[in-house]
Amino acid sequence: MTQQFYVSPEQLMKDRADFARKGIARGRTVVVVSCRDGIALVAENPSASLHKIGEIYDKIAFAAVGKYNEFESLRQAGVRYADVRGYSYDREDVTGRGLASVYAQSLGAVFTAEQKPFEVELTVAEVGHDVESDHLFRLTFDGSIADERRFVVMGGNAERVAETVVNGWTSVASFEEAIRLAAGALQEERAEPVTLEVAVLDRDSETARGSRRAFRRIGPDELAALVDGTARQAG
Amino acid sequence: MNDFLAERVVSAATSSFTEHLAATRPDLLPINRSLPLAGVSAVAPPAAPHGTTIVAMTFPGGVLMAGDRRATMGNVIASRHIEKVFPADRFSVLGIAGTAGIAIDIARLFQVELEHYEKIEGTLLSLEGKATRLGAMVRGNLPMALQGLAAIPLFAGFDIETGVGRLFSYDVTGGRYEELEHHSVGSGSVFARGALKKLWRAGLAEDDAVRVAVEALYDAADDDSATGGPDPVRQLWPVVYTVTRLGGRRVADRELATIAGDIIAERSIARREA
């Protein structure tokens, strides 16, 4: 019988964290920005059908970087959690905080108990009445959760992109300005044009669109019109 | 262990909210409840409010659905405000006649079912697909229907593929039938259908279709005690939805008040007895 080597818990957790961090660093960057009109979610994503940004519920959206199969299963689980909760209680009772803590628990459980941790980083964004009441919960592979203000940048070039976003951020920006800021930050120092996936959570979807569902995807045509004039974007 | 996990993941990977509930929270499904003494048909069903007449019709570029506002419990009017027509999603509506509690629950479940599919799959379910899902829900309610608590929907939507409005009716076993031109369900439906046959015509404009629907409901209310007519005292008008390429729209009360007012005035002037 082979003797198992002793690995200290500290070392084990550190190895797992390093492993997950490496996976995430390979992922393309996602920017989530709170602004006057709502919350803009902008991701660098070469695929038109494998989304990194998704709708969870009326006022809640999801953005992720890392392994697609892992965050997609988390997104679907989030939709199920939210729909069951809204159906059995009321639509108002589905909150970003509730969803984020469910994610934190599952990510934490996978990190400590499973063979390998999830190589993902998530943002749960909930749009409120104004920038102050927006919620941006950032969740990492080990289940730690942070309540961010103003914006979240995740993925490969997070630090550099965040620097540009923080310099240009203002609470009175329109969607157009916020998306341009994020798109510009993602494009910076890149030779090739970046393919973007963009969605927004409208602050006033009830009055503007007659829909309680605030999530809206920005199609390639609308996006081209939005970011036109700044960096050249490939649809 | 891994096989087991994979199997569990695949089995959980359904786009249907109803199937997810059936697997994880069966107690929440309206169609999963059963009355005590199931199968004993001699037991009288418990008294519960019933909704009555729903009318629906097509017009070029869309469909329309309307329901009156009355719910009855035996010979008593249980509610004058009940709504029996619901938007299912952006491009479809459903109206339900029968036991109100079950009808409202089925409508609510159906709404979540469609939205859930859309969020999981990232695309809308086809109109045929929506109609089939609704049929499955009606079939699920069959045990309760046999005990006297039936709810029968009428489904209407805009088919984005073909660009036309379509209508589907159901029987209590979940059988799904596509209707052309117009249809009506509920206790006042025989009278409403008579009116629709005379008033509906091909090429009806959207505004005129609204008027035809209100008039058909007026006729149903005239002869069916379980259907409520326009109520100028309480300012209550039928619930009317239209669905076109642009999506669903609830016809404003102001508009309905004018139409109902016109119909009442015309009939007062005509002074016809029957």
Side-chain angles (χ1 to χ4, degrees):
Chain A
M1 206 173 104
T2 50
Q3 182 86 35
Q4 269 216 310
F5 285 110
Y6 173 76
V7 184
S8 71
E10 286 92 342
Q11 189 58 44
L12 188 69
M13 291 304 151
K14 192 177 165 299
D15 288 351
R16 283 167 168 251
D18 286 345
F19 168 81
R21 249 184 235 114
K22 261 184 220 156
I24 294 160
R26 277 195 296 272
R28 294 184 166 88
T29 315
V30 174
V31 185
V32 181
V33 196
S34 183
C35 64
R36 187 193 67 209
D37 294 348
I39 297 175
L41 304 105
V42 183
E44 184 188 346
N45 187 355
S47 166
S49 51
L50 302 174
H51 297 306
K52 302 169 85 167
I53 297 168
E55 175 183 13
I56 301 280
Y57 211 62
D58 294 354
K59 305 285 168 217
I60 305 171
F62 170 100
V65 290
K67 265 184 102 98
Y68 179 78
N69 66 335
E70 291 176 354
F71 67 68
E72 176 65 8
S73 70
L74 286 169
R75 184 189 70 85
Q76 294 195 356
V79 170
R80 293 203 177 99
Y81 160 83
D83 277 348
V84 171
R85 203 175 162 82
Y87 176 74
S88 56
Y89 298 109
D90 189 77
R91 297 193 80 93
E92 291 178 27
D93 300 313
V94 181
T95 61
R97 193 200 52 78
L99 181 70
S101 56
V102 170
Y103 277 145
Q105 284 173 34
S106 1
L107 283 167
V110 169
F111 183 73
T112 48
E114 296 290 325
Q115 287 279 325
K116 125 185 161 38
F118 273 5
E119 297 160 69
V120 295
E121 196 166 335
L122 316 176
T123 295
V124 171
E126 182 179 29
V127 69
H129 300 296
D130 49 39
V131 173
E132 287 303 305
S133 55
D134 282 349
H135 288 293
L136 302 174
F137 296 102
R138 179 205 202 114
L139 294 133
T140 45
F141 52 85
D142 59 355
S144 36
I145 177 168
D147 189 353
E148 304 274 357
R149 301 265 130 215
R150 306 187 289 169
F151 66 89
V152 174
V153 181
M154 311 178 288
N157 298 315
E159 273 173 32
R160 186 188 55 68
V161 173
E163 212 169 282
T164 312
V165 175
V166 75
N167 289 332
W169 189 86
T170 136
S171 66
V172 292
S174 65
F175 273 142
E176 197 172 318
E177 288 159 339
I179 292 168
R180 256 195 235 143
L181 170 68
L186 291 173
Q187 179 67 60
E188 216 169 60
E189 292 170 31
R190 300 281 293 274
E192 77 284 16
V194 168
T195 315
L196 294 178
E197 177 191 351
V198 180
V200 297
L201 282 171
D202 279 316
R203 208 176 282 294
D204 52 357
S205 62
E206 280 92 352
T207 47
R209 284 190 286 130
S211 165
R212 61 189 173 205
R213 290 166 70 182
F215 186 85
R216 182 163 59 91
R217 247 176 227 295
I218 308 284
D221 295 340
E222 196 183 342
L223 182 61
L226 270 180
V227 292
D228 201 24
T230 55
R232 281 179 303 282
Q233 306 294 331
Chain B
M1 163 67 196
N2 266 342
D3 279 354
F4 170 68
L5 187 69
E7 212 168 274
R8 219 176 41 183
V9 167
V10 171
S11 64
T14 166
S15 310
S16 165
F17 181 68
T18 316
E19 278 167 27
H20 173 63
L21 277 191
T24 57
R25 301 286 304 276
D27 54 306
L28 290 179
L29 280 178
I31 54 180
N32 230 7
R33 298 177 206 135
S34 69
L35 295 173
L37 299 166
V40 183
S41 53
V43 179
H50 272 65
T52 44
T53 312
I54 308 290
V55 299
M57 71 193 79
T58 60
F59 57 85
V63 276
L64 173 151
M65 189 174 287
D68 72 303
R69 303 293 294 272
R70 179 174 291 181
T72 52
M73 205 152 66
N75 65 317
V76 174
I77 295 174
S79 168
R80 294 184 173 87
H81 300 262
I82 192 171
E83 300 195 358
K84 311 162 198 177
V85 181
F86 310 89
D89 67 353
R90 208 144 37 96
F91 291 105
S92 61
V93 288
L94 81 160
I96 307 197
T99 312
I102 291 170
I104 290 165
D105 267 6
I106 290 181
R108 222 159 67 83
L109 179 62
F110 188 59
Q111 287 168 336
V112 182
E113 173 85 11
L114 298 188
E115 190 185 314
H116 187 78
Y117 181 94
E118 187 188 334
K119 287 190 287 195
I120 296 280
E121 297 285 325
T123 131
L124 282 172
L125 198 55
S126 68
L127 189 66
E128 293 267 351
K130 292 176 200 172
T132 308
R133 283 311 300 170
L134 185 57
M137 286 182 191
V138 178
R139 190 178 310 113
N141 191 50
L142 184 59
M144 289 227 276
L146 291 176
Q147 294 180 74
L149 299 178
I152 299 294
L154 193 56
F155 180 62
F158 184 79
D159 192 335
I160 301 164
E161 294 286 308
T162 54
V164 293
R166 295 167 69 188
L167 283 177
F168 296 90
S169 72
Y170 297 85
D171 66 27
V172 77
T173 65
R176 188 194 94 178
Y177 314 96
E178 179 155 10
E179 304 289 345
L180 304 170
E181 301 180 350
H182 50 75
H183 196 70
S184 177
V185 294
S187 64
S189 63
V190 276
F191 311 110
R193 272 184 79 65
L196 284 172
K197 281 184 182 179
K198 298 291 175 261
L199 297 171
W200 187 90
R201 57 182 194 280
L204 212 56
E206 189 175 329
D207 296 350
D208 297 329
V210 175
R211 196 201 143 97
V212 168
V214 174
E215 193 150 3
L217 284 176
Y218 189 102
D219 281 330
D222 215 24
D223 287 322
D224 174 39
S225 62
T227 304
D231 189 339
V233 176
R234 299 182 182 82
Q235 292 283 301
L236 287 177
W237 320 108
V239 175
V240 186
Y241 279 91
T242 62
V243 190
T244 61
R245 186 177 296 286
L246 301 172
R249 170 180 83 99
R250 182 169 177 164
V251 179
D253 274 356
R254 204 165 0 93
E255 214 172 311
L256 292 166
T258 316
I259 292 169
D262 288 351
I263 293 171
I264 294 169
E266 265 176 41
R267 296 202 175 198
S268 310
I269 291 164
R271 284 195 132 186
R272 297 274 303 280
E273 174 50 39

